[in-house]
């Protein structure tokens, strides 16, 4: 029992990171109907910005985190501006292929800059281990969970309560109508990329802290899994991405602990297949609204 | 106030508008009628630059709208109640109205406009927390009109506000439109329901396959034999 609880705790830590990445997928999908396959690489870019901010400039963790988030949102906006915006009216498949191209570009650029070998992430927060009735909990797990939840609450507040958040929702529901109300949809879309990229970067820094290792291809697997998490929760639905992330993280850790750690990466894809067969609109999706 | 000059719009091979000329003066209610596919919606959407304009100009006072990006047009004081209402289905009634006031900076003005809209349509106030997608057709039409009014617009474009509504509701909507016009808001009203349109319009344009075929004061158009036959049921 303690064992299962222990694994669930570990799963929640991992899941909160998936959730952070999944949010970017789901927001961009919601507003552009684009699966942004470069999103996992933004997560990687965020981790590296955090790496330099914490390691080379020796900044405190919180500041490094914020710098990584800001840096990644700039990268996200640049990608949107120069790779995706020119294709706004192009067939969706061109956009998808471009996203894959951007993904390769980011990975290879990073290899060019830092080399392909893994680097160990600056350990700016020393590990503390707590033993609560047999449950092992580290301060890093607590920090990861707290930061993730804080960011998700902040995001929810922005999307539901602020003017720009309402504009985001309006644009995702009807772009033309949004235009007719005077909403500059280009800036709203850019803002969406900035938000999603910032969250992914936070995920990247937290992964660096948790797993202590980063490299230019680190975004590929978490990116795919976060995408599955977004689909699981219902793509385009923000609370769905959070739910999907946590479920995926917990499922993955449980399977690797109690079945076999070699199939750990397969869990996400088995879940993807099941959800597509049983409930393609996702756990929180009521129906698929395809735009004409 | 609004002046459309020699407007041509082609959708690929389909020549939807072939030289439209249309004027709206301040304070007027102008009706644009015509059969399905005549090009009425295309005309209204062109004002917001949402159509492929091949030739022609659209002036709002001295400003040439065909030179502006779509999102700048609302700020001049034009609002659109589009065909099919197009409320934001997953936002509440109140949020929809707030989106209408997206360009209004002054919170007090927004409050005042909200009050005005809720006065015109008390039903919207009752349902302000409800998602717009769950409203009935008539309520969605009220919401679309209310949303347009939230922006302080001086010119309202309405695309078939009576479409799909029960006669009683149509009466209600039109009496509100009349009230709106009395508040010095100018209306350009597209309708298939010519009877209702004539009941509030000062002037009428009649459109057929991309061209204006007739225009004049409402009494004159309403007594035109061809119009009676085609649009007024004999
Ligand atoms: N987006 C579009 N693409 C191609 N053809 C269109 C489009 N919108 C309208 N049309 C065509 O343009 C003509 C005028 O349509 P519309 O302006 O909707 O007429 P109305 O509002 O008077 O019914 C019709 O022949 C219609 O099929
Ligand atoms: Mg029409």
């Amino acid at each position: 029992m303690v064992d299962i609880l222990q694994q669930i705790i570990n799963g929640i830590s991992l899941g909160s990171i998936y959730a952070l990445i999944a949010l970017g997928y789901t927001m961009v999908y919601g507003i552009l109907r684009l699966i942004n396959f470069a999103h996992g690489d933004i997560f990687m870019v965020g981790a590296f910005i955090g790496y330099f901010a914490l390691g080379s400039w020796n900044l405190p963790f919180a500041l490094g985190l914020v710098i990584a988030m800001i840096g990644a949102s700039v990268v996200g906006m640049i990608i949107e501006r120069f790779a995706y915006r020119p294709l706004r009216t192009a067939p969706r498949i061109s956009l998808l292929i471009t996203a894959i191209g951007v993904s390769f570009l980011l990975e290879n650029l990073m290899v060019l800059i830092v080399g392909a070998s893994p680097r160990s992430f600056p350990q700016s927060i020393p590990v503390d281990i707590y033993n609560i009735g047999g449950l092992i909990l580290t301060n890093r797990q607590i920090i990861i969970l707290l930061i993730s939840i804080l960011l998700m609450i902040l995001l929810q507040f922005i999307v539901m309560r602020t003017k720009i958040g309402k504009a985001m929702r309006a644009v995702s529901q009807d772009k033309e109508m949004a235009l007719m109300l005077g909403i500059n949809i280009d800036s709203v879309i850019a803002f969406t990329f900035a938000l999603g990229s910032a969250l992914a970067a936070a995920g990247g820094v937290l992964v660096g802290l948790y797993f202590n290792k980063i490299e230019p291809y680190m975004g590929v697997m978490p990116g795919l899994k976060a995408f599955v998490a977004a689909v699981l929760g219902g793509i385009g639905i923000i609370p769905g991405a959070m739910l999907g992330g946590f479920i995926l993280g917990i499922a993955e850790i449980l399977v690797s602990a109690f079945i076999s750690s070699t199939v750990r990466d397969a869990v996400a894809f088995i879940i993807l297949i099941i959800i597509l067969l049983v409930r393609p609109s996702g756990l929180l999706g009521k129906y698929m609204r395809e735009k004409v | 106030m609004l002046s459309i000059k020699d407007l041509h719009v082609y959708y690929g091979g389909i020549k939807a508008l072939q030289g439209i000329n249309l004027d709206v003066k301040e304070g007027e209610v102008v009706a644009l009628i015509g059969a399905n596919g005549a090009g009425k919606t295309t005309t209204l959407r062109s004002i917001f630059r949402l159509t492929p304009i091949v030739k022609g100009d659209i002036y709002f006072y001295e400003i040439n709208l065909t030179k502006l990006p779509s999102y700048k047009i609302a700020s001049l004081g034009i609002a659109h109640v589009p065909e099919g209402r197009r409320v934001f289905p997953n936002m509440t009634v109140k949020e929809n109205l707030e989106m209408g006031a997206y360009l209004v900076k002054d919170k007090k003005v927004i409050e005042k406009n909200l009050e005005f809209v809720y006065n015109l349509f008390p039903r919207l106030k009752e349902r302000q927390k409800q998602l717009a997608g769950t409203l009935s057709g008539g309520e969605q039409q009220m919401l679309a009109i209310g949303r347009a009014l939230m922006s302080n617009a001086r010119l309202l474009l309405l695309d078939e506000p009576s479409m799909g509504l029960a006669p009683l509701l149509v009466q209600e909507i039109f009496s509100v439109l009349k009230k709106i016009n009395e508040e010095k808001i100018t209306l350009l009203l597209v309708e298939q329901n010519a009877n209702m349109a004539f009941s509030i319009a000062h002037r009428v344009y009649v459109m057929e396959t991309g061209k204006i075929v007739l225009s004049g004061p409402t009494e004159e158009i309403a007594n035109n034999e061809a119009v009676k036959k085609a649009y007024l049921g004999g």
Side-chain angles (χ1 to χ4, degrees), chain A residues 214-258:
Chain A
I214 62 171
E215 43 99 8
Y217 296 101
M218 68 184 278
V220 178
M221 240 336 144
L224 283 172
K225 288 176 184 168
F227 166 64
V228 173
V231 174
L232 173 62
I235 190 131
I237 303 164
I238 286 175
M242 302 179 191
L243 180 67
F246 282 112
I247 293 178
L248 199 66
I250 292 168
E252 186 179 318
I253 295 287
L254 287 180
V255 165
S256 82
F258 297 107

Side-chain angles (χ1 to χ4, degrees), chain B residues 34-42 45 83-84 159-160 163 190 192:
Chain B
N36 222 341
K40 306 180 297 294
T41 297
T42 301
R45 286 168 54 80
E83 191 170 57
D159 199 340
E160 304 209 33
M163 197 204 280
V190 158
Q192 293 219 30

Side-chain angles (χ1 to χ4, degrees), chain B residues 182-231:
Chain B
E182 282 158 12
E183 299 287 328
K184 311 231 181 319
I185 297 170
T186 308
L187 307 181
L188 175 53
L189 170 68
V190 158
E191 260 302 338
Q192 293 219 30
N193 187 337
N195 272 317
M196 286 312 300
F198 290 177
S199 75
I200 63 168
H202 302 111
R203 286 190 304 118
V204 179
Y205 287 83
V206 182
M207 213 171 169
E208 264 170 35
T209 54
K211 291 184 181 128
I212 303 282
V213 293
L214 202 64
S215 65
T218 307
E219 313 80 65
E220 191 183 308
I221 302 293
N223 289 319
N224 179 297
E225 287 308 316
V227 170
K228 274 192 195 162
K229 215 165 169 173
Y231 302 105

